[in-house]
Amino acid sequence: MALTTCFWGTRGNVMSVARERLIYGGHTTCLAVHHGEEMLIIDAGFGLANLAASHNSENPASKGGHKFNLILSHFHWDHIQGLSYFIPIYFPGNEIVIHSPFEREVVTEILNLLFDGSYSPFNGLDSLPCTWTFRKLEHDAEIGSFRVDFHETAHVGETYAFKLATDTGSIVVATDHDASRTQVNDSLVDWAQGCDMLVHSAMYTPREHLQLGGFGHSSFIEAVRNAERIGAAHTLLTHHAPLRNDGELAEMEHNLQHMYNTDTHRLSFAREGAIYRVR
Amino acid sequence: MVRGVSMKVSILGVRGSRPVSSLNTMRYGGNTTSFRIDIDGLSPIFVDGGTGLYEEGIRLAAQPDPFKLNMLVTHTHWDHILSYPLFEPFYRSDCEVTFFAPVSEKTDFPRLIQGQYHDRTFPRSFDEITARIEYRSFAGGEKFDLDGVSVSTFQLNHPGITLGWRVEHNERAVCVITDNAPIEKNYLGQGMREKAAADPEGFEKNFNDSLIDFILGADLVIYDTHFNEESIKNRRHWGHSTPRSATAFALEAGVKHLLLHHHAPEDADFEVEKKLEEARSMVGDQNLVVEAAAEGMVLWL
């Protein structure tokens, strides 16, 4: 059974709209991991609205009776802002299961802020016709055929990386992580060992990382070092800086590939809409 | 400013509900609502802080000298405010910002901005704002003078409290009417249902007449046309208009130039063009120019 991932949003911080950023994509973070017919969604940036277009109101699959599993790494706007545009929430009978290592009260407080009547035409989570289920994620939890584990990342505020393991293979997703924070990073690297695919934050050039003080994201060089240490067959770098154009990203990707790729190990910059085979 | 020009209006964001990025929305653009109005001798006026404002913030913060900004806000739904915490000038101590925002029944505007800085939702804290920010609140129907520029407000028909804005200078006027739905017994704005209860027809006539008055003779009206006659069915409670409704108001009010705005996220460029065609077919040989708002557009009044 194939294990694949599709990036619906690859951009960090803020939605980025420009003709010269279409290849790597402009929507904020959201990816779906597919194992056979099952899908786990990770994070709900505007990419989730993009994903929802395949579950739009004309699609009978959206008319209710469906269950969607969403895992949240943290609650920065660029990781949750797409949830209110996820079409299945508008249909009764759909169940949205939100998994995260956070306490239920934390999740509902933040999502009620997102759906607050001052910021949206809704009046809190309960004003939507779908059913919301909140699951506090335990280590090595089972979600369908996935075994899901988590590890803290070095970010601004409490944030997690996830490991999704199946009979086919495994993927580690660490979209928001500053690999220069040695203590957390060493532990994360140990924990991630043995995965087939690594999705890793890489927002900055080393100079930008120094100037901006990291802000919870890795430089390209540190991301590559983590890729080496973790040793996944395929590493995907994501959370592209908002104004980084396709040309610049393609050139960096080319240079890093030249430096890193071997017959058994390769890396790419995640592209919106692209489907990658984990195994 | 060019001789003979009173105002320059720049379109920074055109999309409604949420930003979109795809090849088939690039002609009109995918950023959410934001406009810039420049008037000789006055600091820039911005309307709304959708994603269209983000890059503008980076450009503004790159200038070496101290600066002042006026920020008008139509309402606080996400697509109109989500760039504010990412707006670089807020983190410059030599920047002065005055917000002109709708009053709110539930909580005040500064608290809503502060709410975007919840420590779990944004990596910077509200206290990191070093710019001097002042907040002024307005209800529909209020007027004030902004350094010689006449500014007025009108409460629109949209969930919550949403203000239309009219900015007038040297006998030139621009109006921003977004987000707004035709009334047609569909009372969405705060307090409207109650006001309409005794005399629905009277309320509706009064709303329509007042809106026409508000945009009367304007040189440029930017108007919410999220829907078309088909897509508005079953979604009337969302609080948006159609090209047909926008054009009817603009013709009635003797507006010179109508800009269709708040394009639906699912509208590809050709669908925006269909709306434009519909609006233009209503105008015929009457004296109204209709265009669809596109990012990067600059209009000189």
Side-chain angles (χ1 to χ4, degrees), chain A residues 3-269:
Chain A
L3 181 64
T4 59
T5 182
C6 179
F7 281 81
W8 295 94
T10 55
R11 199 59 67 167
N13 296 13
V14 62
M15 178 91 185
S16 181
V17 185
R19 206 176 278 276
E20 54 276 10
R21 291 173 215 135
L22 280 173
I23 292 174
Y24 291 93
H27 290 82
T28 47
T29 300
C30 175
L31 57 138
V33 181
H34 298 264
H35 186 225
E37 295 292 301
E38 288 176 55
M39 170 174 73
L40 281 191
I41 304 167
I42 302 178
D43 284 350
F46 279 125
L48 183 65
N50 211 5
L51 185 159
S54 58
H55 294 275
N56 66 26
S57 51
E58 277 74 43
N59 182 342
S62 304
K63 295 267 165 157
H66 292 265
K67 182 171 166 176
F68 297 88
N69 285 297
L70 169 66
I71 306 178
L72 292 179
S73 66
H74 65 307
F75 305 101
H76 283 164
W77 294 124
D78 56 330
H79 291 256
I80 61 169
Q81 63 200 167
L83 188 58
S84 38
Y85 309 98
F86 187 51
I87 306 292
I89 68 175
Y90 299 106
F91 293 91
N94 280 333
E95 182 184 11
I96 317 294
V97 188
I98 297 183
H99 308 264
S100 86
F102 296 86
E103 295 295 335
R104 180 200 166 95
E105 292 69 32
V106 174
V107 183
T108 52
E109 184 207 331
I110 304 295
L111 296 186
N112 275 318
L113 181 65
L114 182 73
F115 287 96
D116 184 274
S118 300
Y119 295 123
S120 73
F122 313 107
N123 190 17
L125 280 169
D126 293 338
S127 66
L128 286 138
C130 70
T131 304
W132 301 98
T133 306
F134 301 96
R135 291 265 158 76
K136 184 174 188 298
L137 205 53
E138 302 297 336
H139 285 285
D140 276 321
E142 273 183 24
I143 304 175
S145 67
F146 291 91
R147 285 185 310 284
V148 180
D149 199 16
F150 59 89
H151 190 285
E152 65 167 326
T153 68
H155 193 54
V156 186
E158 189 179 352
T159 304
Y160 294 94
F162 300 103
K163 187 193 284 169
L164 277 51
T166 67
D167 298 343
T168 314
S170 64
I171 176 172
V172 165
V173 179
T175 59
D176 290 49
H177 172 59
D178 184 350
S180 72
R181 304 297 164 102
T182 318
Q183 205 176 347
V184 176
N185 191 55
D186 285 350
S187 170
L188 181 83
V189 166
D190 280 348
W191 168 81
Q193 293 297 317
C195 63
D196 298 296
M197 177 176 275
L198 170 67
V199 176
H200 197 287
S201 153
M203 196 169 172
Y204 302 123
T205 63
R207 179 194 289 266
E208 289 165 352
H209 189 269
L210 205 64
Q211 283 168 345
L212 297 166
F215 245 113
H217 288 285
S218 302
S219 73
F220 299 109
I221 298 303
E222 283 157 343
V224 170
R225 198 172 295 140
N226 264 10
E228 263 168 0
R229 290 175 67 190
I230 291 168
H234 195 179
T235 296
L236 289 162
L237 304 186
T238 189
H239 211 279
H240 310 312
L243 301 185
R244 188 111 49 214
N245 288 344
D246 289 332
E248 198 184 345
L249 283 168
E251 194 180 335
M252 284 187 198
E253 182 182 33
H254 178 80
N255 292 341
L256 293 179
Q257 284 173 337
H258 187 70
M259 193 170 95
Y260 179 85
N261 283 14
T262 64
D263 288 346
T264 53
H265 293 78
R266 63 199 170 101
L267 66 80
S268 320
F269 283 12

Side-chain angles (χ1 to χ4, degrees), chain B residues 218-222 255-259 288-291 299:
Chain B
D219 298 272
L220 176 66
V221 173
I222 302 171
V255 165
K256 296 184 182 64
H257 193 161
L258 171 67
L259 213 50
L288 169 67
V289 176
V290 189
E291 286 182 286
L299 300 110

